[in-house]
């Protein structure tokens, strides 16, 4: 057994006996074991992936341009300003576009931790991503994201600046340098210019005008809610350090705005990377531990307008590739790690507060958050083309209270910590533009249950998080008739069990079994158009690893991922089985109702 003082000297960042055992679990690790099959000097780099629905292929006849924007190697970039490149829309493919895809390709060889990265255009975030952990033979991967909704930014005249931040540390031990290419791919004429969808159906009901076509298209204007400076070492991220640390930006929006949606980007790091497994402070204090990873296991991101609550969400618990057991995420990453989910808050009911040509404060904070959360947002605005002023008023506003119940019991290093959270809110507001007088009603219900149990003197840990968030949005015409409806239900269950045992020569053997899911159902209805989308993404993983300090030196794992997506026209399913870094099977089943055929690969 390594004596404790040696541990203290070698590892100042872990200068205390951590939770329970002498290791904090879950934790972030770097894999330093030989790659499976032996370290071949000329072994090919392995391709890593996060299975998602393949982006729709546009019609072959549509014009198509690819703009390479940035190519950069992120070596020892910690504390450096973001990498920058100038951007101009392609002359050969003028706006509007049916589809714009951002491609983020990366390659890295050596030893390295996972890192967080983001891509911004003129301070508005387009992609939040994390890196795969490299092997000595190298790993490469490509993230493709549909960024059509940012058309307003992408079509802005030349002079645009694209920035990429990736905070990496390179030294004698951690050698991996991340090479990154970012490009944008533009596809031609959107279908709404050739055939009219949704709200474009001619109305024979003069008393209930349909929602305008533009309502369903990308916003006319996007205002970044980010740290405007962006040049210094902080990038454009707001860095939230604690529960009372709220970050905000003052914005003045056009008085012709008839619809507004705030899209929030968020990722937790350092002491809150594994927030869903943090014990309450009382446990840390009772056991004389000094770990900063406390404040119990509930977090909620809150959005405010002029300090008034306008929406919130429990963030989906993304596990980065070094997290819990990094061998699980080779070569299939954890859900969302390459393209972190973003969260839309409908602000249309609150337009009355915003369209007065004055500056207003849009704020972001994290309930019970500890250092640190990287947060920013994009304010998507739709403008009335025929009038410079809308009229608007805020309707019933039910002050939403967060109901939190906590039940903690501790006995030395053992403990059971249960939290139940519930928040219900309902907002309404009308906006009269040249399109008509539309009332938007938004009802949300958020429920979460968090359970963390430490047993066997803290060596056995059970973590379970269940989140369900329902949002119902109704749009009514002057006559009170419903002319648009969106119902969305998101659920994300996460559970895992870890057992830590002492191995030989100061090693720990950590055994983990994990199950993680993301289920989102969206139903959308408007005059002449209906759609139902279902996403069901599921991972299960189990196995063991041998850990020295934060290095994984041996282990064996299996991971299974099942990704299912369907809407009215398509069904797509992909099932992948992985063992010790090798893909054992990768089955894709696809069907399109238009083709009425099933392709099995
Ligand atoms: C980036 O682009 C360059 C030039 O096309 C290419 O040589 C390199 O392999 C690319 N790197 C990645 C990580 O895609
Ligand atoms: C929260 O963080 C902010 C920003 O770092 C700091 O100024 C403030 O003192 C902190 N508050 C508490 C209660 O720790
Ligand atoms: C924590 O420290 C206090 C004061 O030194 C001591 O009385 C107590 O027994 C310690 N508790 C544990 C669980 O070690
Ligand atoms: C710890 O976990 C192991 C493996 O599941 C189990 O055999 C053991 O009984 C557990 N110990 C306690 C005290 O729960
Ligand atoms: C818009 O509709 C709401 C709800 O029906 C109504 O209360 C309001 O007076 C209308 N506004 C105008 C300017 O007509
Ligand atoms: C533990 O260390 C000793 C001395 O360095 C070595 O002989 C032994 O093989 C090591 N055991 C393991 C399992 O690595
Ligand atoms: C890893 O563990 C396996 C199974 O216990 C063992 O056979 C192998 O020798 C270990 N490898 C190393 C490098 O310790
Ligand atoms: C893929 O299909 C094969 C053959 O039908 C089957 O044996 C395997 O279990 C499937 N894999 C997954 C992950 O479902």
């Amino acid at each position: 057994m390594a004596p404790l003082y040696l541990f203290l000297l070698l590892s100042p960042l872990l200068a205390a006996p951590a939770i329970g055992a002498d290791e904090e679990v879950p934790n972030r690790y770097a894999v330093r074991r030989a790659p499976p099959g032996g370290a071949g000097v000329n072994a090919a780099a392995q391709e890593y992936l996060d299975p998602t629905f393949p982006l729709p292929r546009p019609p072959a006849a549509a014009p198509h341009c690819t703009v390479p924007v940035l190519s950069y190697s992120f070596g020892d970039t910690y504390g450096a300003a973001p990498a920058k490149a100038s951007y101009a829309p392609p002359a050969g493919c003028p706006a509007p576009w049916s589809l714009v895809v951002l491609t983020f390709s990366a390659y890295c060889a050596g030893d390295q931790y996972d890192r967080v990265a983001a891509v911004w255009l003129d301070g508005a975030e387009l992609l939040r991503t994390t890196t795969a952990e490299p092997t000595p033979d190298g790993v490469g991967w490509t993230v493709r994201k549909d960024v059509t909704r940012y058309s307003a930014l992408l079509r802005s005249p030349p002079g645009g600046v694209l920035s990429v931040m990736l905070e990496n540390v390179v030294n004698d031990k951690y050698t991996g340098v991340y090479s990154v290419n970012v490009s944008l791919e533009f596809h031609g004429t959107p279908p709404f210019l050739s055939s009219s969808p949704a709200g474009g159906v001619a109305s024979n009901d003069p008393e209930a005008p349909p929602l305008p076509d533009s309502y369903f298209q990308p916003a006319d204007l996007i205002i970044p809610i980010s740290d405007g400076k962006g040049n210094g070492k902080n990038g454009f991220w707001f860095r939230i350090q604690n529960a009372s640390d709220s970050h905000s930006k003052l914005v003045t929006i056009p008085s012709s705005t008839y619809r507004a949606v705030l899209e929030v980007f968020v990722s937790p790091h350092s002491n809150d990377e594994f927030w869903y497994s943090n014990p309450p402070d009382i446990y840390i204090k009772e056991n004389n531990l000094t770990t900063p990873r406390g404040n119990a296991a509930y977090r909620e991101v809150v959005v405010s307008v002029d300090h008034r609550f306008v929406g919130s969400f429990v963030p989906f618990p993304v596990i980065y590739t070094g997290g819990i057991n990094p061998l699980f995420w080779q070569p299939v990453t954890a859900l969302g790690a390459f393209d972190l989910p973003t969260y839309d808050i409908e602000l249309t009911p609150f337009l009355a507060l915003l369209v007065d040509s004055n500056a207003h404060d849009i704020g972001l904070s994290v309930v019970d958050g500890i250092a640190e959360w990287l947060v920013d947002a994009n304010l998507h605005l739709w403008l009335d083309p025929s009038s410079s002023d809308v009229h608007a008023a805020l309707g019933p506003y039910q002050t939403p209270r967060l109901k939190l119940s906590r039940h903690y019991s501790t006995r030395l290093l053992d403990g059971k910590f249960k939290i139940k959270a519930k928040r219900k809110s309902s907002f309404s507001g009308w906006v009269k533009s040249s399109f008509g007088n539309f009332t938007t009603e938004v009802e949300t219900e958020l429920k979460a249950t968090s359970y963390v149990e430490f047993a066997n003197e803290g060596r056995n840990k059970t973590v379970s998080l269940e989140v369900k968030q329902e949002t119902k949005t109704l749009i009514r015409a002057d006559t009170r008739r419903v002319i648009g409806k969106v119902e969305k239900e998101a659920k994300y269950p996460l559970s895992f069990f870890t057992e830590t045992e002492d191995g030989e020569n100061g090693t720990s053997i950590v055994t983990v079994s994990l199950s993680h899911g993301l289920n989102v159902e969206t139903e959308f209805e408007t005059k002449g158009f209906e759609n139902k989308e279902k996403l069901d993404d599921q991972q299960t993983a189990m196995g063991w690893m041998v850990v020295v300090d934060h290095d994984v030196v041996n282990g064996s794992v299996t991971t299974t991922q099942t990704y299912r997506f369907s809407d009215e026209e398509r069904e797509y399913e992909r099932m992948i089985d992985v063992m010790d870094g090798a893909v054992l099977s990768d089955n894709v089943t696809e069907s399109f109702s238009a083709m009425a055929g099933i392709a099995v690969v």
Side-chain angles (χ1 to χ4, degrees):
M1 272 272 96
L4 188 60
Y5 69 85
L6 191 60
F7 189 66
L8 290 172
L9 285 175
L10 289 176
S11 187
L13 291 175
L14 288 173
I19 301 167
D22 56 359
E23 282 283 346
E24 288 188 79
V25 177
N27 216 324
R28 52 197 301 259
Y29 302 99
V31 178
R32 290 170 70 87
R33 68 159 185 181
V41 180
N42 296 312
Q46 199 177 1
E47 189 71 22
Y48 279 31
L49 70 154
D50 177 10
T52 55
F53 188 66
L55 293 180
R57 292 177 205 98
H64 165 202
C65 304
T66 300
V67 181
V69 188
L70 179 136
S71 192
Y72 195 85
S73 287
F74 293 88
D76 198 26
T77 48
Y78 190 81
K84 286 181 163 50
S86 59
Y87 161 80
C93 293
W97 304 288
S98 58
L99 174 70
V100 186
V101 180
L102 180 141
T103 300
F104 179 102
S105 319
Y107 174 82
C108 187
D111 286 323
Q112 194 50 270
Y113 277 105
D114 60 80
R115 304 291 178 193
V116 63
V119 178
W120 294 270
L121 184 56
D122 294 332
E125 190 160 344
L126 305 184
L127 172 73
R128 178 78 55 96
T129 185
T130 62
T131 66
E133 286 195 347
T135 63
D137 292 336
V139 301
W141 71 99
T142 297
V143 188
R144 279 170 64 74
K145 180 176 177 182
D146 181 345
V147 292
T148 320
R149 74 182 297 195
Y150 309 112
S151 289
L153 295 163
L154 293 162
R155 69 169 173 253
S156 64
V161 177
L162 185 123
S163 317
V164 179
M165 187 139 181
L166 191 162
E167 296 184 301
N168 195 19
V169 175
V170 173
N171 54 32
D172 292 349
K173 193 174 175 195
Y174 297 106
T175 52
V177 170
Y178 289 100
S179 313
V180 172
N181 290 346
V182 176
S183 65
L184 288 157
E185 196 183 288
F186 296 84
H187 300 271
T189 318
F192 62 78
L193 290 185
S194 32
S195 70
S196 205
V201 177
S203 171
N204 47 19
D205 181 359
E207 286 180 54
L211 289 166
D213 279 355
S214 56
Y215 190 95
F216 305 97
Q217 288 151 21
D220 299 300
L221 177 68
I222 296 173
I223 301 179
I225 308 297
S226 60
D227 192 337
K229 297 174 287 290
N231 294 309
K233 62 183 175 66
N234 286 333
F236 293 96
W237 286 313
F238 290 129
R239 293 171 187 257
I240 293 182
Q241 306 298 323
N242 56 51
S244 49
D245 192 16
S246 168
H247 285 251
S248 63
K249 192 172 160 185
L250 277 176
V251 293
T252 306
I253 74 167
S255 49
S256 59
T257 305
Y258 77 89
R259 183 181 180 211
V261 171
L262 189 77
E263 178 198 21
V264 184
F265 288 76
V266 54
S267 56
H269 301 280
S270 305
N271 300 331
D272 246 2
E273 178 174 340
F274 304 100
W275 58 268
Y276 41 81
S277 68
N278 282 12
D281 292 350
I282 182 172
Y283 171 87
I284 296 169
K285 210 171 150 201
E286 276 180 11
N287 288 291
N288 295 337
L289 304 175
T290 59
T291 176
R293 284 162 49 175
N295 228 18
Y298 181 73
R299 302 291 182 269
E300 185 184 335
V301 178
V302 171
V303 177
S304 64
V305 170
D306 294 337
H307 310 289
R308 174 200 288 257
F309 176 102
V310 294
S312 73
F313 57 89
V314 172
F316 176 74
V318 178
I319 301 166
Y320 312 138
T321 57
I324 303 181
N325 181 337
L327 303 176
F328 287 168
W329 323 121
Q330 299 182 344
V332 172
T333 58
L335 306 181
F338 280 165
D339 182 3
L340 274 77
T342 64
Y343 307 84
D344 282 355
I345 308 281
E346 179 71 56
L347 291 187
T348 310
F350 300 97
L351 276 178
L353 307 174
L354 296 167
V355 290
D356 59 359
S357 306
N358 293 321
H360 294 276
D361 177 286
I362 312 265
L364 297 158
S365 59
V366 181
V367 171
D368 284 354
I370 55 174
E372 86 173 352
W373 288 71
L374 302 180
V375 182
D376 60 23
N378 295 327
L379 182 56
H380 296 249
L381 302 173
W382 286 257
L383 310 179
D384 186 343
S386 336
S387 162
S388 56
D389 287 296
V390 300
H391 295 276
L394 181 63
Y397 174 95
Q398 182 211 312
T399 310
R401 285 239 174 80
L402 173 62
K403 283 190 197 144
L404 265 180
S405 69
R406 305 174 190 264
H407 183 80
Y408 302 153
S409 66
T410 59
R411 194 173 169 276
L412 298 175
L413 287 167
D414 291 350
K416 294 180 181 177
F417 316 110
K418 189 167 186 171
I419 304 175
K420 273 178 173 284
K422 190 171 169 179
R423 190 183 313 250
K424 244 178 133 160
S425 56
S426 88
F427 310 127
S428 162
W430 60 261
V431 179
K432 187 173 192 313
S433 67
S434 69
F435 298 119
N437 179 5
F438 302 132
T439 302
T440 304
E441 299 170 2
V442 183
E443 262 176 54
T444 58
E445 187 176 76
L446 172 64
K447 279 185 186 164
T449 307
S450 149
Y451 183 68
V452 175
E453 181 181 331
F454 295 170
N456 194 14
E457 298 186 315
R459 285 155 188 273
N460 285 15
K461 292 176 191 170
T462 305
V463 173
S464 148
L465 175 74
E466 302 255 355
V467 179
K468 181 166 148 188
Q469 184 146 2
E470 289 169 290
T471 310
K472 185 172 169 184
T473 308
L474 291 181
I475 303 139
R476 295 182 191 272
D478 235 349
T479 58
R480 306 297 298 151
R481 175 182 296 196
V482 174
I483 54 167
K485 185 168 106 178
V486 185
E487 284 185 72
K488 185 172 176 173
E489 185 188 282
K491 284 191 215 163
Y492 18 101
L494 167 67
S495 65
F496 59 89
F497 172 77
T498 67
E499 188 197 3
T500 308
E501 296 164 285
D502 291 330
E504 286 181 61
N505 291 357
T507 64
S508 302
I509 299 161
V510 184
T511 311
V512 188
S513 57
L514 174 143
S515 131
H516 197 190
L518 173 62
N519 306 295
V520 186
E521 283 186 34
T522 314
E523 265 186 77
F524 179 82
E525 233 182 279
T526 186
K527 220 167 186 174
F529 183 78
E530 241 183 86
N531 196 19
K532 191 172 176 172
E533 258 182 30
K534 247 174 125 163
L535 167 68
D536 178 9
D537 201 358
Q538 197 73 39
Q539 275 178 338
T540 54
M542 59 182 69
W544 57 272
M545 60 179 174
V546 178
V547 172
V548 182
D549 196 359
H550 283 243
D551 294 337
V552 176
V553 295
N554 200 358
S556 177
V557 299
T558 59
T559 303
T560 302
Q561 178 162 2
T562 307
Y563 177 94
R564 292 192 185 90
F565 175 87
S566 65
D567 63 13
E568 301 289 308
E569 289 168 2
R570 312 161 282 190
E571 274 180 45
Y572 176 86
E573 184 181 282
R574 186 167 177 185
M575 292 164 84
I576 304 186
D577 257 341
V578 179
M579 189 178 174
D580 295 337
V583 175
L584 300 184
S585 73
D586 183 350
N587 302 345
V588 176
T589 311
E590 247 184 308
S591 69
F592 295 88
S593 64
M595 284 163 24
I598 296 177
V600 180
V601 180

